[in-house]
Amino acid sequence: MVQHTLYPHLFQPLDLGFTTLKNRILMGSMHTGLEGSDPEQRKRLAAFYAERAKGGVGMIITGGTYPSQIGAGHEIEGEVFTSEEQVPLHQLVTSAVKDADADCKMILQIMHPGNLAFNENSVAPSPIKSPINPFTPKALTENEIEAIIGDFVQCALLAKQAGYAGVEVIGSAGYLISTFLLEKTNKRDDQWGGSYENRMRFAIEIMSRIRQAVGDDFILIYRIATMELMEDGSSWDEVVTLGKAIEAAGVNLMSTHFTWHQASIPTISTRVPRAAFTQVTGRLRKELSIPLITSNRINSPEVAESVLAKGDADITSMGRTMLADPEFANKAYDGKADEINTCIACNQACMDHVFAAKQLTCLVNPRAGYETELNYEPVSHVKRIAVVGAGPAGLAFSVTAALRGHKVTLFEGSHEIGGHFNLAKRIPGKEEFNETIRYYQRQIELHNVELRLNEYVTADALSSGWDEVVIATGIKPRELTLPGIESSHVISYVDAINGTQPIGKTVAIIGAGGIGFDVAELVSHKGVSSSIDIDAFAKEWGIDFENHPRGGIAGVEPQITKADREVYLMQRKDTKLGKGLGQTTGWTHKLTLKKRDVNMLKGVSYQKIDEQGLHIEMDGSAQIIPADTIIVCAGQVSENALYEQLKDSGNVHLIGGADVAAEIDAKRAIDQASRLAAAL
Ligand code: NAP
Ligand code: SF4
């Protein structure tokens, strides 16, 4: 086999004895919202996975599947796979993947939620409630424990019957198996609790009995909790002891996991450095002899290759990366990494959707999960299309329409493409947004979009010569009418983020939406951005990668670095600040600002601005925030003057923030633009 020149480790096959993985690229488990008993929905799920298989990924793991009726989670969180009658549903997926690429291994993840099941039937080793679930679980009897082990085995057998190449059992994250392992969640005094040997018995019994039942020619993966990011998590010795015991139970691959869901340290969001946690896998890899899988914030072939090259793992798992671009592996193989649509770890359309019981998709790729309905077919009649505005909406429309074969001219008044993404990428922790701009830049070249920068196009120029006109002129910041608002120390968030105005020592931020939070992050930040520096990240969140104390963090004090500024973040509403932020990322923004002592004021009424600062009323009393800089982050209004002039001339379309400013939300903008481009 000839080595791949660019990514020799990534494209090296992995021989498991009875079968071979064609490369080291794994699409990790993600619940999609397309599981369940509806065959039509299942066909969409099959198309979703088949597209990734066709895109060159070596192995795919499904979302978590409950093996047992005892303490199963809610159907919207996953599905129960307990009977032969369900086999044909699963075969829709396995056969679609085989048809797409017979070499892609399709794996079923088996997951018992334990005390994370969101219902009153939840079960656990002991009746201890998870802090992130209102339901208190019932303690399992020994008979029920035996029954659940049998259910895991049965589920693995059903998976084999359904044509899966193997199963992954998740023993981490706070799900049932992991709660047996920790003293804090396992208070039993029978053979399933007490000593570590007893606490790990459940995991070992499950894995060894599955191996006995399924035979040797079936891939068996165990997802191990290497660090829970909780003070009372596992010690490193315990992790190694468990890893060795699981290996001895006949597992082929060990997948490493780095947190429990209840932990309050980010592990996958955009503020986490790329590949920050793979060193933990590398440490365990030295102790075991089976191949190890690593994950978390691996979003480019370069990063994946370097993780493998330095010996941190044998396989790289990328879940969201494959949502953003199903062709990731093929593009990397063909030396076209610059054409990859990179996952920016925003979580907005994937994890936030899953946690809101909505179908998952992807902010930068709205086709994810919609492969059967949103397709970019070649056009039979080529149109001349003018697009105004090169923000996310205008870019998504232009490259998609051009990809289909239309002749697209994209007008942009400024000197660069990207719109508000150019602001986002300047926020510490959001550097990844630059990747989307890079992706569109390359797509513009590839599909011959005529890009006209520094060109403010007029309604006259658009009124003839075009088959379609698309207005994506975006938004402008909302201006306030407060007395004193014209003072020189009042600046807009655009100037604050671009650094075109000085920012003083006491800063008042008017408006606490997504951008108010971003600006607070920026002005309270000091030093290197911890999202691009693993050591700084570890210090900021109190993780000791080197010594690996209990849970990875026990006894480690987070080190807070912050700018020498007093920052006030304010809103008029009387609700908690940050309520509208993304569910899976908002808490990290709030926690970071809290650690930096940013003052969060709600129920504020703004009175006036003068040389003393910002005058407000709060809780019925007048106060002065002695701000030397006041930054207005009070939302936006649509910039749609051009549309108003053109709207009656036919074939004019309005998309993105210019359409709905209240949601200048890239997810909505890119989705709307892509759907329009698919339809014209
Ligand atoms: P936003 O989320 O709509 O927030 C606007 C803020 O301004 C609110 O706090 C609002 O609170 C305040 N406000 C509105 N009208 C005001 C007025 N007349 N006077 C004073 N305050 C006023 O807008 P944004 O922060 O500009 O964010 C825009 C969009 O960008 C978001 O919807 C989001 O999609 C996206 N974004 C998201 C993130 C993220 O989630 N991480 C980050 C950046 C941007 P009160 O009305 O209570 O005062
Ligand atoms: Fe990545 Fe954001 Fe897409 Fe999720 S929505 S896959 S985090 S780019």
Side-chain angles (χ1 to χ4, degrees), residues 348 430 478 480 493 510-516 518 570-573 580-582 589 606 633-636 662-666:
Q348 277 177 253
K430 286 196 161 178
R478 176 178 285 121
L480 304 185
Y493 67 81
I510 296 182
I515 289 179
D518 276 357
M570 291 169 284
Q571 69 178 25
R572 297 169 302 174
K573 283 185 288 291
L581 299 177
H589 295 298
Y606 310 109
C633 306
Q636 294 81 18
E663 293 172 35
I664 59 143
D665 167 355

PDB file of all heavy atoms in Angstrom, residues 348 430 478 480 493 510-516 518 570-573 580-582 589 606 633-636 662-666, ligand 1:
ATOM      1  N   GLN A 348     -24.545  25.727  17.240  1.00  0.00           N
ATOM      2  CA  GLN A 348     -25.850  26.366  17.106  1.00  0.00           C
ATOM      3  C   GLN A 348     -26.914  25.514  16.419  1.00  0.00           C
ATOM      4  O   GLN A 348     -28.079  25.602  16.771  1.00  0.00           O
ATOM      5  CB  GLN A 348     -25.707  27.696  16.367  1.00  0.00           C
ATOM      6  CG  GLN A 348     -25.299  28.829  17.299  1.00  0.00           C
ATOM      7  CD  GLN A 348     -25.085  30.126  16.545  1.00  0.00           C
ATOM      8  OE1 GLN A 348     -23.963  30.563  16.364  1.00  0.00           O
ATOM      9  NE2 GLN A 348     -26.147  30.732  16.093  1.00  0.00           N
ATOM     10  N   LYS A 430     -13.498  32.865  19.287  1.00  0.00           N
ATOM     11  CA  LYS A 430     -14.312  32.673  18.083  1.00  0.00           C
ATOM     12  C   LYS A 430     -13.464  32.731  16.811  1.00  0.00           C
ATOM     13  O   LYS A 430     -13.976  33.025  15.740  1.00  0.00           O
ATOM     14  CB  LYS A 430     -15.407  33.742  18.025  1.00  0.00           C
ATOM     15  CG  LYS A 430     -16.524  33.511  19.024  1.00  0.00           C
ATOM     16  CD  LYS A 430     -17.726  34.335  18.677  1.00  0.00           C
ATOM     17  CE  LYS A 430     -18.958  33.806  19.352  1.00  0.00           C
ATOM     18  NZ  LYS A 430     -20.137  34.606  19.068  1.00  0.00           N
ATOM     19  N   ARG A 478     -28.551  49.165  15.672  1.00  0.00           N
ATOM     20  CA  ARG A 478     -29.640  50.047  16.108  1.00  0.00           C
ATOM     21  C   ARG A 478     -29.052  51.275  16.808  1.00  0.00           C
ATOM     22  O   ARG A 478     -28.166  51.154  17.652  1.00  0.00           O
ATOM     23  CB  ARG A 478     -30.560  49.299  17.078  1.00  0.00           C
ATOM     24  CG  ARG A 478     -31.663  50.161  17.652  1.00  0.00           C
ATOM     25  CD  ARG A 478     -32.585  49.387  18.579  1.00  0.00           C
ATOM     26  NE  ARG A 478     -33.488  48.534  17.845  1.00  0.00           N
ATOM     27  CZ  ARG A 478     -33.566  47.198  17.980  1.00  0.00           C
ATOM     28  NH1 ARG A 478     -32.798  46.579  18.842  1.00  0.00           N
ATOM     29  NH2 ARG A 478     -34.414  46.506  17.263  1.00  0.00           N
ATOM     30  N   LEU A 480     -29.521  54.548  19.269  1.00  0.00           N
ATOM     31  CA  LEU A 480     -30.375  54.897  20.411  1.00  0.00           C
ATOM     32  C   LEU A 480     -30.623  56.404  20.440  1.00  0.00           C
ATOM     33  O   LEU A 480     -29.852  57.187  19.879  1.00  0.00           O
ATOM     34  CB  LEU A 480     -29.732  54.435  21.723  1.00  0.00           C
ATOM     35  CG  LEU A 480     -29.389  52.946  21.809  1.00  0.00           C
ATOM     36  CD1 LEU A 480     -28.877  52.595  23.200  1.00  0.00           C
ATOM     37  CD2 LEU A 480     -30.589  52.072  21.468  1.00  0.00           C
ATOM     38  N   TYR A 493     -20.635  48.736  18.674  1.00  0.00           N
ATOM     39  CA  TYR A 493     -19.902  47.469  18.835  1.00  0.00           C
ATOM     40  C   TYR A 493     -18.980  47.218  17.648  1.00  0.00           C
ATOM     41  O   TYR A 493     -17.938  46.574  17.788  1.00  0.00           O
ATOM     42  CB  TYR A 493     -20.868  46.301  19.068  1.00  0.00           C
ATOM     43  CG  TYR A 493     -21.767  45.921  17.922  1.00  0.00           C
ATOM     44  CD1 TYR A 493     -21.317  45.116  16.875  1.00  0.00           C
ATOM     45  CD2 TYR A 493     -23.096  46.351  17.884  1.00  0.00           C
ATOM     46  CE1 TYR A 493     -22.158  44.758  15.827  1.00  0.00           C
ATOM     47  CE2 TYR A 493     -23.935  45.996  16.844  1.00  0.00           C
ATOM     48  CZ  TYR A 493     -23.466  45.199  15.810  1.00  0.00           C
ATOM     49  OH  TYR A 493     -24.300  44.838  14.776  1.00  0.00           O
ATOM     50  N   ILE A 510     -24.216  48.610  26.644  1.00  0.00           N
ATOM     51  CA  ILE A 510     -25.685  48.692  26.582  1.00  0.00           C
ATOM     52  C   ILE A 510     -26.186  47.578  25.675  1.00  0.00           C
ATOM     53  O   ILE A 510     -25.920  47.575  24.474  1.00  0.00           O
ATOM     54  CB  ILE A 510     -26.138  50.066  26.037  1.00  0.00           C
ATOM     55  CG1 ILE A 510     -25.704  51.177  26.995  1.00  0.00           C
ATOM     56  CG2 ILE A 510     -27.645  50.086  25.804  1.00  0.00           C
ATOM     57  CD1 ILE A 510     -26.156  52.575  26.574  1.00  0.00           C
ATOM     58  N   GLY A 511     -26.884  46.605  26.257  1.00  0.00           N
ATOM     59  CA  GLY A 511     -27.394  45.482  25.474  1.00  0.00           C
ATOM     60  C   GLY A 511     -26.610  44.220  25.767  1.00  0.00           C
ATOM     61  O   GLY A 511     -25.375  44.216  25.673  1.00  0.00           O
ATOM     62  N   ALA A 512     -27.325  43.166  26.173  1.00  0.00           N
ATOM     63  CA  ALA A 512     -26.656  41.932  26.593  1.00  0.00           C
ATOM     64  C   ALA A 512     -27.137  40.740  25.765  1.00  0.00           C
ATOM     65  O   ALA A 512     -27.380  39.652  26.291  1.00  0.00           O
ATOM     66  CB  ALA A 512     -26.899  41.701  28.080  1.00  0.00           C
ATOM     67  N   GLY A 513     -27.273  40.954  24.453  1.00  0.00           N
ATOM     68  CA  GLY A 513     -27.562  39.830  23.555  1.00  0.00           C
ATOM     69  C   GLY A 513     -26.248  39.137  23.204  1.00  0.00           C
ATOM     70  O   GLY A 513     -25.218  39.346  23.864  1.00  0.00           O
ATOM     71  N   GLY A 514     -26.261  38.359  22.128  1.00  0.00           N
ATOM     72  CA  GLY A 514     -25.060  37.628  21.730  1.00  0.00           C
ATOM     73  C   GLY A 514     -23.884  38.562  21.535  1.00  0.00           C
ATOM     74  O   GLY A 514     -22.756  38.262  21.940  1.00  0.00           O
ATOM     75  N   ILE A 515     -24.137  39.730  20.961  1.00  0.00           N
ATOM     76  CA  ILE A 515     -23.021  40.641  20.672  1.00  0.00           C
ATOM     77  C   ILE A 515     -22.567  41.376  21.930  1.00  0.00           C
ATOM     78  O   ILE A 515     -21.363  41.568  22.139  1.00  0.00           O
ATOM     79  CB  ILE A 515     -23.401  41.570  19.505  1.00  0.00           C
ATOM     80  CG1 ILE A 515     -23.424  40.711  18.228  1.00  0.00           C
ATOM     81  CG2 ILE A 515     -22.419  42.744  19.375  1.00  0.00           C
ATOM     82  CD1 ILE A 515     -23.790  41.396  16.965  1.00  0.00           C
ATOM     83  N   GLY A 516     -23.492  41.750  22.802  1.00  0.00           N
ATOM     84  CA  GLY A 516     -23.101  42.349  24.090  1.00  0.00           C
ATOM     85  C   GLY A 516     -22.176  41.409  24.852  1.00  0.00           C
ATOM     86  O   GLY A 516     -21.150  41.830  25.403  1.00  0.00           O
ATOM     87  N   ASP A 518     -20.320  39.048  23.522  1.00  0.00           N
ATOM     88  CA  ASP A 518     -19.049  38.976  22.795  1.00  0.00           C
ATOM     89  C   ASP A 518     -18.159  40.178  23.120  1.00  0.00           C
ATOM     90  O   ASP A 518     -16.948  40.045  23.327  1.00  0.00           O
ATOM     91  CB  ASP A 518     -19.306  38.951  21.280  1.00  0.00           C
ATOM     92  CG  ASP A 518     -19.614  37.543  20.776  1.00  0.00           C
ATOM     93  OD1 ASP A 518     -19.573  36.603  21.586  1.00  0.00           O
ATOM     94  OD2 ASP A 518     -19.899  37.403  19.572  1.00  0.00           O
ATOM     95  N   MET A 570     -25.290  45.313  30.478  1.00  0.00           N
ATOM     96  CA  MET A 570     -26.624  45.695  30.970  1.00  0.00           C
ATOM     97  C   MET A 570     -27.736  45.369  29.981  1.00  0.00           C
ATOM     98  O   MET A 570     -27.533  45.400  28.768  1.00  0.00           O
ATOM     99  CB  MET A 570     -26.656  47.210  31.206  1.00  0.00           C
ATOM    100  CG  MET A 570     -25.791  47.633  32.357  1.00  0.00           C
ATOM    101  SD  MET A 570     -25.610  49.423  32.369  1.00  0.00           S
ATOM    102  CE  MET A 570     -24.471  49.619  31.065  1.00  0.00           C
ATOM    103  N   GLN A 571     -28.909  45.141  30.536  1.00  0.00           N
ATOM    104  CA  GLN A 571     -30.107  45.025  29.694  1.00  0.00           C
ATOM    105  C   GLN A 571     -31.304  45.600  30.442  1.00  0.00           C
ATOM    106  O   GLN A 571     -31.292  45.721  31.667  1.00  0.00           O
ATOM    107  CB  GLN A 571     -30.366  43.567  29.321  1.00  0.00           C
ATOM    108  CG  GLN A 571     -30.796  42.706  30.491  1.00  0.00           C
ATOM    109  CD  GLN A 571     -31.098  41.265  30.107  1.00  0.00           C
ATOM    110  OE1 GLN A 571     -30.589  40.757  29.117  1.00  0.00           O
ATOM    111  NE2 GLN A 571     -31.916  40.596  30.895  1.00  0.00           N
ATOM    112  N   ARG A 572     -32.347  45.927  29.669  1.00  0.00           N
ATOM    113  CA  ARG A 572     -33.561  46.477  30.279  1.00  0.00           C
ATOM    114  C   ARG A 572     -34.454  45.380  30.841  1.00  0.00           C
ATOM    115  O   ARG A 572     -35.124  45.572  31.845  1.00  0.00           O
ATOM    116  CB  ARG A 572     -34.336  47.313  29.248  1.00  0.00           C
ATOM    117  CG  ARG A 572     -33.544  48.526  28.760  1.00  0.00           C
ATOM    118  CD  ARG A 572     -34.208  49.178  27.575  1.00  0.00           C
ATOM    119  NE  ARG A 572     -34.371  48.233  26.479  1.00  0.00           N
ATOM    120  CZ  ARG A 572     -35.015  48.478  25.355  1.00  0.00           C
ATOM    121  NH1 ARG A 572     -35.586  49.650  25.150  1.00  0.00           N
ATOM    122  NH2 ARG A 572     -35.105  47.579  24.414  1.00  0.00           N
ATOM    123  N   LYS A 573     -34.459  44.253  30.201  1.00  0.00           N
ATOM    124  CA  LYS A 573     -35.315  43.153  30.670  1.00  0.00           C
ATOM    125  C   LYS A 573     -34.936  42.771  32.097  1.00  0.00           C
ATOM    126  O   LYS A 573     -33.783  42.911  32.503  1.00  0.00           O
ATOM    127  CB  LYS A 573     -35.127  41.912  29.785  1.00  0.00           C
ATOM    128  CG  LYS A 573     -35.822  42.002  28.458  1.00  0.00           C
ATOM    129  CD  LYS A 573     -35.703  40.717  27.675  1.00  0.00           C
ATOM    130  CE  LYS A 573     -34.343  40.456  27.126  1.00  0.00           C
ATOM    131  NZ  LYS A 573     -33.902  41.328  26.057  1.00  0.00           N
ATOM    132  N   GLY A 580     -30.854  34.173  26.175  1.00  0.00           N
ATOM    133  CA  GLY A 580     -31.056  33.832  24.756  1.00  0.00           C
ATOM    134  C   GLY A 580     -29.836  33.194  24.110  1.00  0.00           C
ATOM    135  O   GLY A 580     -29.871  32.865  22.923  1.00  0.00           O
ATOM    136  N   LEU A 581     -28.761  33.023  24.845  1.00  0.00           N
ATOM    137  CA  LEU A 581     -27.561  32.426  24.229  1.00  0.00           C
ATOM    138  C   LEU A 581     -27.795  30.931  23.995  1.00  0.00           C
ATOM    139  O   LEU A 581     -28.687  30.332  24.586  1.00  0.00           O
ATOM    140  CB  LEU A 581     -26.355  32.624  25.148  1.00  0.00           C
ATOM    141  CG  LEU A 581     -25.960  34.072  25.452  1.00  0.00           C
ATOM    142  CD1 LEU A 581     -24.797  34.113  26.440  1.00  0.00           C
ATOM    143  CD2 LEU A 581     -25.573  34.814  24.173  1.00  0.00           C
ATOM    144  N   GLY A 582     -26.963  30.349  23.165  1.00  0.00           N
ATOM    145  CA  GLY A 582     -27.105  28.928  22.851  1.00  0.00           C
ATOM    146  C   GLY A 582     -27.031  28.077  24.112  1.00  0.00           C
ATOM    147  O   GLY A 582     -26.210  28.341  25.002  1.00  0.00           O
ATOM    148  N   HIS A 589     -20.011  31.244  28.276  1.00  0.00           N
ATOM    149  CA  HIS A 589     -19.862  32.703  28.179  1.00  0.00           C
ATOM    150  C   HIS A 589     -20.152  33.332  29.542  1.00  0.00           C
ATOM    151  O   HIS A 589     -19.413  34.182  30.027  1.00  0.00           O
ATOM    152  CB  HIS A 589     -20.850  33.298  27.165  1.00  0.00           C
ATOM    153  CG  HIS A 589     -20.610  32.852  25.756  1.00  0.00           C
ATOM    154  ND1 HIS A 589     -19.446  33.120  25.089  1.00  0.00           N
ATOM    155  CD2 HIS A 589     -21.389  32.170  24.896  1.00  0.00           C
ATOM    156  CE1 HIS A 589     -19.526  32.603  23.866  1.00  0.00           C
ATOM    157  NE2 HIS A 589     -20.689  32.024  23.734  1.00  0.00           N
ATOM    158  N   TYR A 606     -32.097  53.232  31.014  1.00  0.00           N
ATOM    159  CA  TYR A 606     -31.025  54.181  30.681  1.00  0.00           C
ATOM    160  C   TYR A 606     -31.595  55.592  30.684  1.00  0.00           C
ATOM    161  O   TYR A 606     -32.618  55.851  30.052  1.00  0.00           O
ATOM    162  CB  TYR A 606     -30.441  53.856  29.303  1.00  0.00           C
ATOM    163  CG  TYR A 606     -30.062  52.393  29.145  1.00  0.00           C
ATOM    164  CD1 TYR A 606     -30.793  51.543  28.316  1.00  0.00           C
ATOM    165  CD2 TYR A 606     -28.977  51.865  29.843  1.00  0.00           C
ATOM    166  CE1 TYR A 606     -30.464  50.199  28.181  1.00  0.00           C
ATOM    167  CE2 TYR A 606     -28.644  50.517  29.715  1.00  0.00           C
ATOM    168  CZ  TYR A 606     -29.392  49.694  28.887  1.00  0.00           C
ATOM    169  OH  TYR A 606     -29.054  48.361  28.771  1.00  0.00           O
ATOM    170  N   CYS A 633     -24.619  47.941  22.094  1.00  0.00           N
ATOM    171  CA  CYS A 633     -24.833  46.612  21.481  1.00  0.00           C
ATOM    172  C   CYS A 633     -26.328  46.316  21.568  1.00  0.00           C
ATOM    173  O   CYS A 633     -26.751  45.316  22.133  1.00  0.00           O
ATOM    174  CB  CYS A 633     -24.074  45.538  22.244  1.00  0.00           C
ATOM    175  SG  CYS A 633     -22.327  45.846  22.449  1.00  0.00           S
ATOM    176  N   ALA A 634     -27.121  47.252  21.044  1.00  0.00           N
ATOM    177  CA  ALA A 634     -28.576  47.201  21.246  1.00  0.00           C
ATOM    178  C   ALA A 634     -29.300  46.568  20.068  1.00  0.00           C
ATOM    179  O   ALA A 634     -30.407  46.967  19.717  1.00  0.00           O
ATOM    180  CB  ALA A 634     -29.089  48.615  21.513  1.00  0.00           C
ATOM    181  N   GLY A 635     -28.688  45.573  19.453  1.00  0.00           N
ATOM    182  CA  GLY A 635     -29.353  44.878  18.352  1.00  0.00           C
ATOM    183  C   GLY A 635     -29.202  45.627  17.045  1.00  0.00           C
ATOM    184  O   GLY A 635     -28.382  46.548  16.907  1.00  0.00           O
ATOM    185  N   GLN A 636     -30.009  45.236  16.072  1.00  0.00           N
ATOM    186  CA  GLN A 636     -29.849  45.752  14.715  1.00  0.00           C
ATOM    187  C   GLN A 636     -31.190  46.068  14.070  1.00  0.00           C
ATOM    188  O   GLN A 636     -32.228  45.607  14.534  1.00  0.00           O
ATOM    189  CB  GLN A 636     -29.170  44.692  13.828  1.00  0.00           C
ATOM    190  CG  GLN A 636     -27.752  44.356  14.192  1.00  0.00           C
ATOM    191  CD  GLN A 636     -27.661  43.367  15.332  1.00  0.00           C
ATOM    192  OE1 GLN A 636     -28.613  42.681  15.638  1.00  0.00           O
ATOM    193  NE2 GLN A 636     -26.514  43.318  15.994  1.00  0.00           N
ATOM    194  N   ALA A 662     -33.960  40.981  13.415  1.00  0.00           N
ATOM    195  CA  ALA A 662     -34.066  40.512  14.797  1.00  0.00           C
ATOM    196  C   ALA A 662     -33.309  39.209  14.997  1.00  0.00           C
ATOM    197  O   ALA A 662     -32.979  38.834  16.100  1.00  0.00           O
ATOM    198  CB  ALA A 662     -35.522  40.328  15.167  1.00  0.00           C
ATOM    199  N   GLU A 663     -33.100  38.519  13.902  1.00  0.00           N
ATOM    200  CA  GLU A 663     -32.350  37.263  14.048  1.00  0.00           C
ATOM    201  C   GLU A 663     -31.133  37.316  13.145  1.00  0.00           C
ATOM    202  O   GLU A 663     -30.985  36.474  12.278  1.00  0.00           O
ATOM    203  CB  GLU A 663     -33.217  36.076  13.620  1.00  0.00           C
ATOM    204  CG  GLU A 663     -34.398  35.827  14.515  1.00  0.00           C
ATOM    205  CD  GLU A 663     -35.302  34.773  13.909  1.00  0.00           C
ATOM    206  OE1 GLU A 663     -34.795  33.837  13.270  1.00  0.00           O
ATOM    207  OE2 GLU A 663     -36.512  34.916  14.050  1.00  0.00           O
ATOM    208  N   ILE A 664     -30.294  38.345  13.267  1.00  0.00           N
ATOM    209  CA  ILE A 664     -29.131  38.249  12.387  1.00  0.00           C
ATOM    210  C   ILE A 664     -28.324  37.064  12.874  1.00  0.00           C
ATOM    211  O   ILE A 664     -27.408  37.104  13.657  1.00  0.00           O
ATOM    212  CB  ILE A 664     -28.240  39.506  12.305  1.00  0.00           C
ATOM    213  CG1 ILE A 664     -27.712  39.872  13.661  1.00  0.00           C
ATOM    214  CG2 ILE A 664     -28.845  40.572  11.488  1.00  0.00           C
ATOM    215  CD1 ILE A 664     -26.295  40.378  13.539  1.00  0.00           C
ATOM    216  N   ASP A 665     -28.791  36.017  12.398  1.00  0.00           N
ATOM    217  CA  ASP A 665     -28.368  34.749  12.892  1.00  0.00           C
ATOM    218  C   ASP A 665     -27.857  34.021  11.666  1.00  0.00           C
ATOM    219  O   ASP A 665     -28.590  33.817  10.705  1.00  0.00           O
ATOM    220  CB  ASP A 665     -29.634  34.145  13.496  1.00  0.00           C
ATOM    221  CG  ASP A 665     -29.507  32.702  13.809  1.00  0.00           C
ATOM    222  OD1 ASP A 665     -28.480  32.126  13.485  1.00  0.00           O
ATOM    223  OD2 ASP A 665     -30.468  32.166  14.365  1.00  0.00           O
ATOM    224  N   ALA A 666     -26.593  33.668  11.686  1.00  0.00           N
ATOM    225  CA  ALA A 666     -25.991  33.068  10.497  1.00  0.00           C
ATOM    226  C   ALA A 666     -26.663  31.752  10.136  1.00  0.00           C
ATOM    227  O   ALA A 666     -26.741  31.392   8.961  1.00  0.00           O
ATOM    228  CB  ALA A 666     -24.515  32.859  10.734  1.00  0.00           C
TER     229      ALA A 666
HETATM  230  P1  NAP B   1     -29.861  40.799  20.327  1.00  0.00           P
HETATM  231  O1  NAP B   1     -29.525  39.413  20.688  1.00  0.00           O
HETATM  232  O2  NAP B   1     -31.172  41.097  19.719  1.00  0.00           O
HETATM  233  O3  NAP B   1     -29.681  41.683  21.647  1.00  0.00           O
HETATM  234  C1  NAP B   1     -29.903  43.047  21.655  1.00  0.00           C
HETATM  235  C2  NAP B   1     -29.719  43.585  23.061  1.00  0.00           C
HETATM  236  O4  NAP B   1     -29.973  44.958  23.035  1.00  0.00           O
HETATM  237  C3  NAP B   1     -30.629  42.978  24.071  1.00  0.00           C
HETATM  238  O5  NAP B   1     -29.880  42.760  25.234  1.00  0.00           O
HETATM  239  C4  NAP B   1     -31.691  44.031  24.290  1.00  0.00           C
HETATM  240  O6  NAP B   1     -32.035  43.899  25.641  1.00  0.00           O
HETATM  241  C5  NAP B   1     -30.980  45.326  23.970  1.00  0.00           C
HETATM  242  N1  NAP B   1     -31.799  46.330  23.318  1.00  0.00           N
HETATM  243  C6  NAP B   1     -32.655  46.165  22.279  1.00  0.00           C
HETATM  244  N2  NAP B   1     -33.211  47.338  21.928  1.00  0.00           N
HETATM  245  C7  NAP B   1     -32.690  48.274  22.747  1.00  0.00           C
HETATM  246  C8  NAP B   1     -32.881  49.656  22.882  1.00  0.00           C
HETATM  247  N3  NAP B   1     -33.709  50.327  22.099  1.00  0.00           N
HETATM  248  N4  NAP B   1     -32.202  50.303  23.848  1.00  0.00           N
HETATM  249  C9  NAP B   1     -31.359  49.637  24.650  1.00  0.00           C
HETATM  250  N5  NAP B   1     -31.149  48.308  24.574  1.00  0.00           N
HETATM  251  C10 NAP B   1     -31.805  47.638  23.634  1.00  0.00           C
HETATM  252  O7  NAP B   1     -28.805  41.410  19.340  1.00  0.00           O
HETATM  253  P2  NAP B   1     -27.243  41.199  19.285  1.00  0.00           P
HETATM  254  O8  NAP B   1     -26.634  41.075  20.624  1.00  0.00           O
HETATM  255  O9  NAP B   1     -26.765  42.296  18.428  1.00  0.00           O
HETATM  256  O10 NAP B   1     -27.099  39.844  18.558  1.00  0.00           O
HETATM  257  C11 NAP B   1     -27.676  39.709  17.300  1.00  0.00           C
HETATM  258  C12 NAP B   1     -27.670  38.282  16.871  1.00  0.00           C
HETATM  259  O11 NAP B   1     -26.344  37.868  16.622  1.00  0.00           O
HETATM  260  C13 NAP B   1     -28.209  37.319  17.877  1.00  0.00           C
HETATM  261  O12 NAP B   1     -29.588  37.174  17.739  1.00  0.00           O
HETATM  262  C14 NAP B   1     -27.496  36.070  17.523  1.00  0.00           C
HETATM  263  O13 NAP B   1     -28.209  35.339  16.573  1.00  0.00           O
HETATM  264  C15 NAP B   1     -26.208  36.531  16.887  1.00  0.00           C
HETATM  265  N6  NAP B   1     -25.096  36.304  17.803  1.00  0.00           N
HETATM  266  C16 NAP B   1     -25.105  35.256  18.654  1.00  0.00           C
HETATM  267  C17 NAP B   1     -24.070  35.063  19.508  1.00  0.00           C
HETATM  268  C18 NAP B   1     -24.075  33.914  20.441  1.00  0.00           C
HETATM  269  O14 NAP B   1     -25.083  33.331  20.751  1.00  0.00           O
HETATM  270  N7  NAP B   1     -22.951  33.518  20.959  1.00  0.00           N
HETATM  271  C19 NAP B   1     -23.021  35.950  19.515  1.00  0.00           C
HETATM  272  C20 NAP B   1     -23.051  37.033  18.666  1.00  0.00           C
HETATM  273  C21 NAP B   1     -24.098  37.202  17.823  1.00  0.00           C
HETATM  274  P3  NAP B   1     -33.146  44.765  26.384  1.00  0.00           P
HETATM  275  O15 NAP B   1     -34.214  44.980  25.346  1.00  0.00           O
HETATM  276  O16 NAP B   1     -33.556  43.915  27.535  1.00  0.00           O
HETATM  277  O17 NAP B   1     -32.449  45.981  26.812  1.00  0.00           O
END
